[in-house]
Amino acid sequence: MAFQEGSQLPTEGLEFSYIPIDLSDLSLINPLKCDTTSKLKLSNLLEKLSNSDSPNLVAVSVPGAFTPTCTENHIPPYLENLGKLIDKKVGAILVLATNDPFVVNAWGKLLIKEFVKINDDNKKLPEIIFASDGGFSEKYGLAGDRGGIIRNKRYAAIIDSRTGDVTYLGVETERGVDKSGVDAVLSKL
Amino acid sequence: MSSEDFPTSPSPKYIPFSEEHESIVSCGAPVDLNLKSLFKDSTIVIASVPFAFSPTCTEEHIPDYIKHIDQFKSEGVDKIIVLSASDPFAMSAWGKALGVKDPANYIIFAHDVDLGIAKALGSDYIADLSKGGLGVRSQRYAGIIENGEIKYLESENELNFTEISSAETLLKRL
């Protein structure tokens, strides 16, 4: 099976190492409090979403945590536009980076603290999951050699949890953020 | 190990701290750390950790060194280099997250490229965590390098943090 637009997401055996981030009180998120890692089984996440009223999963992949483009331009607009993503029935945002789960988790917590605004309208926030890619993207041709290290390409995908279909896959072919940015994703939701 | 030279190649990569990129979500550009020139006529402390941002490294090991910076300075240590398999962006952010914001870069948070330094030191300095999905990392180890020569170098077992790599042990050996 391939990971491509219009096909089902290949979820068999697909799991990611991550450390859950509790969004119920943003002020309690501490990037220097390190926990042990858990496994995220993607089929379980999709099943949970398919039974909710926010069935869309947005997956965003970046070459590296704490790198300039990813940290300054790519992920922050997603976190600043959670309200719009909620309105488009996004139940979870999965950020995948090449790094190990400790680094991805610390990066995620810092970005959430910096860019997620206090939720005034009391809308239920989507799950925000920062996970270590662990070879998934490479398996589907969505990673490449960057200076001796295999790093994820920058891309974003929308998965409809009710069908399991990849309804959008935008892969960047040049530097910068265009097809994988939050505006492109919102226009496809 | 003693009276041996500490490996200087491949050059680790790091992002020098600068006030321009003081914020943890602002990223600088990685450069090579030339160990050969750094070691010349200097006393350097090396501390290697398996992971940036992991519990032991972040809560115990490196904070222990940071707490003792003044003692290291007064014992004549010119610089402390923290090494890990984590990439230079993660290492730089981790340094800032630990509160190290020093334009003089007394503590350098650097990436051991391809684990070349750890591999040159030998298999005791490598920790293979592939089974747990965490890849191949360096062991937790600590050393004192004087003019390029190893004066003290010991590796922890099982990634623990004990007196082997504590700041106090290093200070005693200086």
Side-chain angles (χ1 to χ4, degrees):
Chain A
M1 278 177 83
F3 175 24
Q4 62 189 29
E5 194 172 304
S7 296
Q8 282 221 316
L9 181 73
T11 56
E12 202 183 316
L14 181 56
E15 54 181 26
F16 299 104
S17 288
Y18 81 118
I19 300 170
I21 303 174
D22 182 1
L23 298 178
S24 57
D25 186 345
L26 297 178
S27 69
L28 293 181
I29 295 177
N30 176 3
L32 281 185
K33 173 76 186 70
C34 311
D35 297 294
T36 48
T37 60
S38 310
K39 292 280 185 198
L40 172 75
K41 206 163 178 236
L42 206 68
S43 53
N44 291 354
L45 175 65
L46 289 178
E47 192 183 332
K48 189 166 85 180
L49 291 179
S50 69
N51 292 317
S52 75
D53 49 14
S54 301
N56 290 316
L57 168 68
V58 171
V60 191
S61 151
V62 301
F66 293 113
T67 60
T69 305
C70 320
T71 302
E72 290 161 18
N73 305 329
H74 194 190
I75 302 303
Y78 279 92
L79 301 177
E80 288 166 335
N81 286 287
L82 288 179
K84 290 181 192 164
L85 291 161
I86 293 166
D87 292 343
K88 300 271 192 176
K89 303 199 174 304
V90 172
I93 298 165
L94 171 64
V95 180
L96 295 173
T98 317
N99 312 73
D100 68 65
F102 300 110
V103 166
V104 181
N105 177 249
W107 182 57
K109 288 193 220 169
L110 284 162
L111 289 178
I112 288 171
K113 274 190 98 73
E114 184 92 7
F115 295 106
V116 174
K117 294 285 164 277
I118 301 298
N119 191 5
D120 290 333
D121 330 333
N122 246 343
K123 284 181 186 166
K124 190 178 175 295
L125 288 178
E127 266 191 74
I128 305 177
I129 302 161
F130 281 82
S132 175
D133 180 83
F136 164 74
S137 296
E138 190 186 5
K139 185 173 167 189
Y140 295 105
L142 290 168
D145 191 324
R146 294 269 290 264
I149 303 175
I150 303 292
R151 288 195 179 268
N152 281 15
K153 289 185 181 171
R154 191 181 303 288
Y155 66 84
I158 302 168
I159 294 111
D160 183 338
S161 65
R162 293 164 301 188
T163 58
D165 287 342
V166 179
T167 57
Y168 174 71
L169 177 60
V171 184
E172 303 295 353
T173 48
E174 288 170 36
R175 283 185 83 89
V177 178
D178 174 26
K179 292 176 215 149
S180 67
V182 71
D183 291 336
V185 165
L186 281 169
S187 74
K188 299 287 179 180
L189 275 162
Chain B
M1 291 173 92
S2 64
S3 332
E4 274 180 57
D5 284 346
F6 192 84
T8 54
S9 168
S11 288
K13 285 195 186 294
Y14 79 113
I15 301 176
F17 176 81
S18 69
E19 276 161 358
E20 181 197 351
H21 294 292
E22 185 186 351
S23 160
I24 191 159
V25 290
S26 166
C27 319
V31 297
D32 282 356
L33 177 63
N34 186 332
L35 289 178
K36 211 172 222 172
S37 61
L38 190 68
F39 286 160
K40 195 170 171 359
D41 302 324
S42 297
T43 300
I44 306 291
V45 162
I46 305 257
S48 153
V49 299
F51 296 96
F53 290 111
S54 72
T56 307
C57 317
T58 302
E59 288 159 22
E60 300 173 40
H61 184 180
I62 300 306
D64 181 44
Y65 283 55
I66 294 170
K67 213 166 57 195
H68 291 91
I69 277 186
D70 287 344
Q71 284 104 304
F72 280 116
K73 284 183 179 167
S74 62
E75 292 287 340
V77 172
D78 295 287
K79 274 198 194 299
I80 298 173
I81 301 171
V82 181
L83 279 178
S84 116
S86 298
D87 71 37
F89 299 103
M91 289 301 283
S92 157
W94 188 46
K96 289 188 262 187
L98 287 168
V100 180
K101 297 187 174 187
D102 167 22
N105 287 281
Y106 181 72
I107 303 186
I108 290 175
F109 289 84
H111 163 56
D112 186 359
V113 178
D114 294 329
L115 285 177
I117 299 290
K119 284 176 188 163
L121 291 171
S123 56
D124 287 355
Y125 295 83
I126 299 283
D128 188 346
L129 304 174
S130 310
K131 271 191 192 149
L134 293 171
V136 178
R137 317 293 301 195
S138 57
Q139 258 293 357
R140 191 182 308 286
Y141 64 81
I144 301 167
I145 318 301
E146 273 182 0
N147 197 19
E149 271 187 20
I150 296 169
K151 187 181 177 196
Y152 173 82
L153 182 65
E154 290 292 339
S155 170
E156 297 272 1
N157 302 309
E158 311 292 329
L159 305 172
N160 292 332
F161 176 54
T162 68
E163 69 278 1
I164 290 175
S165 61
S166 75
E168 210 169 298
T169 299
L170 289 180
L171 285 164
K172 271 189 217 148
R173 300 292 185 119
L174 278 162

